[in-house]
Amino acid sequence: MKKFLKSLRSIGIILCFIICIGSIIYIMIEKNSLSEEEAVFTELQDIKDQNEKDVDMVINTEDGGILPEYRKLYEENGDMYGWIKVDGTNIDYPVMQTPDRPNYYLRRNWTGEYSIKGIPYIDERVTDNSENIFIYGHNMDDGSMFGDLPEYKDETYYKNHKYIEFNTIYERARYEIVSVSKTVALEDSELLTTSEYYVYQHTELDTPEEFNNYWSNIKKNEYFDTGVTAKYGDRLITLSTCDYWTEGARLLVIAKKI
């Protein structure tokens, strides 16, 4: 019996050692993969910034007038919708959209391979005429993707980072943050049994009533009053990421085009 127990202990020690080594290897591989992904984004930023300086570049009207800084990137990946950047934060990324493949970039990188970080992407229901563009991104612990958005719950942080540069591949635009709010993401099945206003359904704010309903629900759940308002006719972007005050919690940063 003693020999048997001794053998079990030895096997247990060996298994623990194997698991420990395996965990270390997995963490190293994961960290290396994430580092490689960040290097890719840095390269994309460099391409964008360099081409943006080439102001004399002729824009080919046959391709819809794509801006010079996004021409090469769009040729690499036709899912690219534009670019989002917030000065003083880590947010400086391409933004994707795949209307026929909802949430495609939730866990995929620029080349379409699996990535825990994904890439910021636009709701598949958004069209060129949508008054409210939902942009989704992960709340990463290392601050990448939309990991900086929770900082906006602090009013001082908001005051120091009020503006968002959000360009489509066709147009450069600047937005001013009007609200920092919260909501809960619900599954479609749950929508059948709740009367709660569901903000993610509202990409089209094409009537005063629709806009006012959206805005009042945003205001009802905001963290503080920014002192900036929005009105019917404004073009909005709504940045969305995970939050943790309840199950399915989401943080919303809403900005209007200026």
Side-chain angles (χ1 to χ4, degrees):
M1 178 61 71
K2 289 183 178 179
K3 289 184 178 180
F4 177 73
L5 292 175
K6 187 175 182 180
S7 297
L8 281 181
R9 281 196 295 269
S10 298
I11 293 172
I13 291 171
I14 293 172
L15 286 175
C16 288
F17 179 76
I18 292 173
I19 292 172
C20 182
I21 294 298
S23 298
I24 292 172
I25 292 173
Y26 174 80
I27 291 171
M28 291 177 63
I29 292 174
E30 188 68 20
K31 284 186 175 181
N32 183 62
S33 175
L34 294 177
S35 296
E36 290 178 354
E37 288 180 12
E38 286 305 312
V40 169
F41 285 122
T42 299
E43 182 180 349
L44 297 178
Q45 291 164 7
D46 290 342
I47 293 173
K48 173 184 72 73
D49 293 342
Q50 180 58 48
N51 288 333
E52 193 171 14
K53 295 176 183 177
D54 298 334
V55 294
D56 294 329
M57 181 184 291
V58 176
I59 299 177
N60 184 353
T61 55
E62 292 182 358
D63 62 15
I66 295 175
L67 294 169
E69 58 264 40
Y70 303 126
R71 291 271 300 280
K72 186 174 181 180
L73 299 181
Y74 184 75
E75 288 171 2
E76 286 186 13
N77 190 330
D79 293 335
M80 182 178 176
Y81 186 98
W83 196 281
I84 187 167
K85 180 178 181 179
V86 183
D87 288 336
T89 77
N90 290 316
I91 300 174
D92 190 5
Y93 295 106
V95 177
M96 320 301 282
Q97 189 189 33
T98 51
D100 56 338
R101 294 166 294 167
N103 303 317
Y104 181 79
Y105 284 97
L106 179 69
R107 296 295 182 189
R108 285 184 173 85
N109 61 20
W110 177 256
T111 60
E113 299 173 332
Y114 174 80
S115 166
I116 193 170
K117 291 186 174 185
I119 306 181
Y121 66 96
I122 288 175
D123 192 293
E124 71 275 5
R125 292 165 292 190
V126 169
T127 69
D128 292 340
N129 297 319
S130 294
E131 294 84 8
N132 188 18
I133 299 176
F134 282 96
I135 308 175
Y136 306 116
H138 287 297
N139 180 1
M140 301 300 298
D141 289 338
D142 63 0
S144 60
M145 298 301 127
F146 282 179
D148 279 342
L149 285 191
E151 300 288 346
Y152 276 100
K153 289 188 279 188
D154 178 78
E155 190 172 358
T156 300
Y157 187 90
Y158 151 76
K159 289 179 178 178
N160 292 325
H161 306 84
K162 283 185 177 183
Y163 300 99
I164 299 172
E165 178 186 324
F166 173 60
N167 303 333
T168 70
I169 59 174
Y170 304 110
E171 178 187 39
R172 302 182 186 100
R174 187 170 170 82
Y175 290 74
E176 180 179 12
I177 295 173
V178 295
S179 185
V180 181
S181 187
K182 61 183 178 179
T183 190
V184 176
L186 304 174
E187 297 297 332
D188 289 342
S189 59
E190 293 179 286
L191 291 176
L192 300 176
T193 59
T194 180
S195 59
E196 289 291 322
Y197 185 89
Y198 193 53
V199 298
Y200 295 107
Q201 288 182 313
H202 301 279
T203 60
E204 311 300 326
L205 305 176
D206 49 5
T207 68
E209 180 181 13
E210 179 72 16
F211 183 92
N212 291 335
N213 282 340
Y214 181 78
W215 184 239
S216 64
N217 276 273
I218 292 299
K219 294 290 291 181
K220 181 173 63 177
N221 294 299
E222 66 182 2
Y223 285 93
F224 52 86
D225 185 358
T226 64
V228 185
T229 191
K231 64 182 186 303
Y232 172 66
D234 285 337
R235 306 284 289 189
L236 303 180
I237 55 174
T238 299
L239 279 54
S240 173
T241 196
C242 289
D243 208 353
Y244 302 105
W245 52 272
T246 189
E247 184 177 356
R250 297 293 186 271
L251 174 69
L252 305 175
V253 175
I254 301 94
K256 66 178 179 180
K257 188 176 180 181
I258 55 174

